[in-house]
Amino acid sequence: MTEELDILLRKYVLQNAVKYGGKPQAGTVISRVMGEYPELRSEGRKISMLTNAIVKEVSRLSPEKQKEELAQVAPRLLEELSLTKEHVKAGLPALEGAENGVVMRFAPNPSGPLHLGHARAALLNDAYVRRYGGKYILRIEDTDPRRVDPDAYTTVREDCTWLDLVIDEIVFQSDRLDTYNEYARNLISIGGAYVCTCEADQFRELKLAKRACPCREISPEKNLELFEAMLNGEYGEGEVTLRVKTDIEHPDPAVRDFSALRIVSSPPHPRVDATVFPLMNFSVAIDDHLLGVTHVIRGKDHIANTARQRYIFDYFGWKPPVYRHYGRMGIEGVVLSTSQMKAGIADGIYTGWDDIRLGTLRAIARRGITPEAVRNAVLEIGIGETDISFSWENLYAKNRDIVDPVANRYSFVPDPVLLEIADAPCGFVAQAMLHPNDPSRGYRNLPFDGSVFIPKADLVCPGMIRLKDLFNIRLGEGKDCLVATFAGKSLDEARKAKAPIVQWVPPEHTIPCVLHKPDGDMKGYCEPMVALDAGKVVQFERVGFVRIEKATAMLIEAYWGHR
Ligand code: GLU
């Protein structure tokens, strides 16, 4: 143990050294280790002595050597240093039995691109792999040909890259059908499974009445024959299924003799030529064991599946992983059901998987929401068992923290009206900062030549408004509303008069702009310089953060992020 503890502490000391410019701090290391490994708290004295000794050793190494060693012995701790504090802390509870590293998996069905619900599973498991070190497996669960969308083999992986998951290995379940069949034979041989030829409805009735079906009594030898017949195509779809013998009186009917393998003859599978496919609980249990998965974090909707999967672990005498089930997360305001999204796209209701009315990661990426914001929001939600509803406002707040310091500012005038300013000093050029906290980024020039476009919503007649970075104007009444008069340059006066500070664009230096929002488009004008930020998130002043998707000489297209 001392040696193992040595190794563990050295990793954290090295990380601390790299973090603090080559000078590790014993106290910080100790509190980090105690926080991560509460079970070590009883060994406080020993830990403190060892840490102090290791700190001395590590301090003698050059910063380059420290970093080199850290990269070698604990690459994830090195990586962690480039993450924000939410990534590391995230309020996630310690996982039992994780001290020596974990093997975890993210196991999506490739039925479409990933959405926010997937992101929670993907990022929580990822956070624990980063925290404890070990291995992260992306397991593509493609054993239901009816639910495989061939494009999703690519889109799911792209989405994992976007989320910056630390995937070490990718496994396709469709590559492993022989393995599942082999374990099915083993399970039959030990009397743990049987081939059931009952009609589905007939079995259902028996099951609900806690009664076994006649097939349950057939001998393993006969069952092996029936299983080979099933594999050899002697049965058609729906005629036969392999069932795991559980407790026929189990309180949850879903657990009673559940199906493990079945025949699906159409549609053909896009990757393999087969008709017998495992159902989720069978392939998941076999793979979790064979791939050495130590911890499974998934939603409460999998609780019945966990009960079923435990039967398979028990039959084979395997140690099951540690399971944690987090509460349900309602996500309002977007479409999340893959089948609904798919049908909507086919019918032309949605433009594609990145239509911003959908809850896919590509839709939110299109709105300029960063993967870091998704990660921070999801980790903050954590693995609690309470059902919650997803807070878009919280996601927006996390994103604002990230984009606000970097987004350039521009004027966008939605629903524009043209205002003549009768007596204003022409030839004046307003200089507006690209970023209010960073003058070094420079300025945008907005030349004033007698008239401006302002948003219709800001037309308060009569009244005073300040044209941002320009001067104050007074709006007339009735038909004079659109003929404004110059009202001085003083910002103080505008403030005293509580005049709204309004964004504007000069009619001669402007470009049409459409801002796509989930609830409809906003049309107007913006500064032509916005084109320089194509592909980036900018702030349209007084409107919100948007992502500039496209910029041509004729039109700017932006997508709404948040305020
Ligand atoms: N592929 C299944 C799902 O996405 C299984 C996931 C799991 O066991 O965590 O629901």
Side-chain angles (χ1 to χ4, degrees), residues 408-412 434 444 511 513 525-536 538-540 546-551 556-558:
N408 282 331
R409 273 48 175 178
Y410 294 104
S411 271
F412 165 63
L434 269 167
R444 305 116 60 188
I511 180 168
C513 173
Y525 291 115
C526 69
E527 295 170 55
M529 206 174 147
V530 168
L532 296 178
D533 272 332
K536 293 192 191 144
V538 303
Q539 187 187 47
F540 279 164
V546 304
R547 188 179 143 271
I548 307 302
E549 178 156 302
K550 224 159 129 194
I556 302 282
E557 275 194 80

Side-chain angles (χ1 to χ4, degrees), residues 105 107 109 141 280 298 302:
R105 54 24 171 225
N109 300 347
E141 307 219 316
M280 178 181 79
R298 57 187 179 191
H302 282 289

Side-chain angles (χ1 to χ4, degrees), residues 58 101 349 439 517:
V58 168
I349 299 170
K517 297 180 87 170

Side-chain angles (χ1 to χ4, degrees), residues 423-483:
D423 52 352
C426 282
F428 192 82
V429 178
Q431 290 215 307
M433 291 172 102
L434 269 167
H435 195 287
N437 303 339
D438 184 4
S440 74
R441 289 216 211 156
Y443 293 82
R444 305 116 60 188
N445 291 330
L446 296 156
F448 171 72
D449 216 3
S451 58
V452 292
F453 278 123
I454 67 160
K456 196 168 171 195
D458 287 309
L459 210 56
V460 271
C461 305
M464 177 166 156
I465 62 176
R466 178 173 180 82
L467 298 174
K468 191 169 183 304
D469 302 303
L470 193 65
F471 46 62
N472 311 330
I473 55 172
R474 204 171 293 284
L475 303 170
E477 210 167 343
K479 66 179 176 22
D480 288 335
C481 182
L482 295 180
V483 186

Side-chain angles (χ1 to χ4, degrees), residues 325-548:
H325 299 102
Y326 52 74
R328 289 185 179 77
M329 182 170 85
I331 304 176
E332 276 176 21
V334 286
V335 181
L336 280 176
S337 135
T338 304
S339 52
Q340 217 175 317
M341 292 195 253
K342 208 169 179 171
I345 294 168
D347 294 347
I349 299 170
Y350 306 122
T351 53
W353 291 106
D354 58 357
D355 189 301
I356 55 173
R357 289 165 291 178
L358 306 182
T360 58
L361 297 181
R362 40 200 67 210
I364 67 168
R366 192 174 204 187
R367 295 176 53 189
I369 295 180
T370 55
E372 294 80 7
V374 177
R375 183 180 286 266
N376 293 343
V378 160
L379 294 193
E380 194 171 280
I381 295 167
I383 61 167
E385 284 172 26
T386 316
D387 295 348
I388 49 138
S389 60
F390 178 76
S391 162
W392 285 97
E393 280 315 316
N394 193 40
L395 174 65
Y396 297 156
K398 303 286 183 219
N399 202 53
R400 204 174 294 119
D401 288 346
I402 293 163
V403 295
D404 189 24
V406 288
N408 282 331
R409 273 48 175 178
Y410 294 104
S411 271
F412 165 63
V413 175
D415 199 7
V417 286
L418 187 64
L419 264 191
E420 299 287 338
I421 295 132
D423 52 352
C426 282
F428 192 82
V429 178
Q431 290 215 307
M433 291 172 102
L434 269 167
H435 195 287
N437 303 339
D438 184 4
S440 74
R441 289 216 211 156
Y443 293 82
R444 305 116 60 188
N445 291 330
L446 296 156
F448 171 72
D449 216 3
S451 58
V452 292
F453 278 123
I454 67 160
K456 196 168 171 195
D458 287 309
L459 210 56
V460 271
C461 305
M464 177 166 156
I465 62 176
R466 178 173 180 82
L467 298 174
K468 191 169 183 304
D469 302 303
L470 193 65
F471 46 62
N472 311 330
I473 55 172
R474 204 171 293 284
L475 303 170
E477 210 167 343
K479 66 179 176 22
D480 288 335
C481 182
L482 295 180
V483 186
T485 49
F486 179 66
K489 290 185 177 171
S490 160
L491 178 58
D492 280 348
E493 261 171 47
R495 282 189 180 137
K496 249 183 248 154
K498 296 204 166 52
I501 302 179
V502 172
Q503 81 276 29
W504 57 280
V505 284
E508 306 299 321
H509 292 87
T510 189
I511 180 168
C513 173
V514 47
L515 172 56
H516 301 287
K517 297 180 87 170
D519 55 359
D521 290 350
M522 266 170 121
K523 290 192 179 123
Y525 291 115
C526 69
E527 295 170 55
M529 206 174 147
V530 168
L532 296 178
D533 272 332
K536 293 192 191 144
V537 173
V538 303
Q539 187 187 47
F540 279 164
E541 287 171 317
R542 293 180 78 230
V543 177
F545 290 95
V546 304
R547 188 179 143 271
I548 307 302

